Amino acid sequence: MRVASFGMLSTVVLVASFAHAADVKEKAAICAGCHGENGISQTENIPSLAGQPNQFLQWQLVFFRAGARKNEQMSPIAADLSNDDIRNLAIYFASLPPPPAIPSDDNPALSEAGTKIAAQTHCTSCHTDNFAGAKAVARIAHQREEYLLKALTDYKTSVRSGGGQAVMADVAYPLTEDQIKALAHYLAHFK
Ligand code: HEC
Ligand code: HEC
């Protein structure tokens, strides 16, 4: 008797987790329309999500939903997400392989300049040595170059304040446009 009811319970749990996986896949298909197949963006000014830290993804979705971070395309999408959606989508995108390295660098001198600025400004102290990010800190290695440029400019000009006591606003404020360009190029082509 006990064995039989235990068997039934585990069947119910199994069915529920399948339904849940299907639900995430369905939601993630909406995201793919902009963020690309497998979370690798092919579209200007839309970031790749694959391999971003789970916590970073959750916070950004919460910021969009709450209106603390605003974007014409992304805000309406986030407005419709439940807490469970946010948790499940973050787990899903964090589990995908991150964007691959770009095989060739069309401007090694700019990367070289970016390397120096990144060292001077201690980007790795938060973003980790390979810029993979951790917890609420973004992965920035191999992100789209023009999106990195936009993100740093948004912090510099207070369009985006970000979490973590708005550390990125403090980091980006003193950077010049040329320094931001070099950093974006270096990080997009990071080796
Ligand atoms: C209509 C296009 C569109 C769709 C659909 C869309 N997004 Fe976005 N998303 C954007 C844009 C554009 C940005 C960049 C916003 C900015 O520049 O601040 C963004 C940013 C994000 C970010 C912040 C990433 C970062 O690196 O800062 C997350 C997380 C995100 N989207 C998750 C999702 C999820 C999850 C879905 C599906 C439920 C989704 N998006 C669907 C357009 C879209
Ligand atoms: C004190 C810790 C800290 C330092 C130092 C730091 N960052 Fe960040 N960075 C963060 C955090 C936290 C976030 C997420 C902020 C948010 O919620 O928007 C972030 C986000 C970013 C983003 C946005 C990524 C995305 O996908 O939206 C970029 C780009 C970035 N950092 C670049 C840099 C660069 C370049 C440097 C060095 C010049 C740097 N960071 C130094 C903590 C730091």
Side-chain angles (χ1 to χ4, degrees), residues 110 113-114 117 149 175-185:
L110 197 55
I117 302 158
L149 195 76
L175 297 173
T176 65
E177 265 178 56
D178 283 347
Q179 287 178 317
I180 287 178
K181 261 187 212 152
L183 283 165
H185 188 82

Side-chain angles (χ1 to χ4, degrees), residues 6 14 19 29-30 77 83 105 138 144 187:
F6 177 75
L14 209 65
I30 304 171
I77 303 272
N83 288 342
D105 187 342
R144 295 181 61 84
L187 292 166

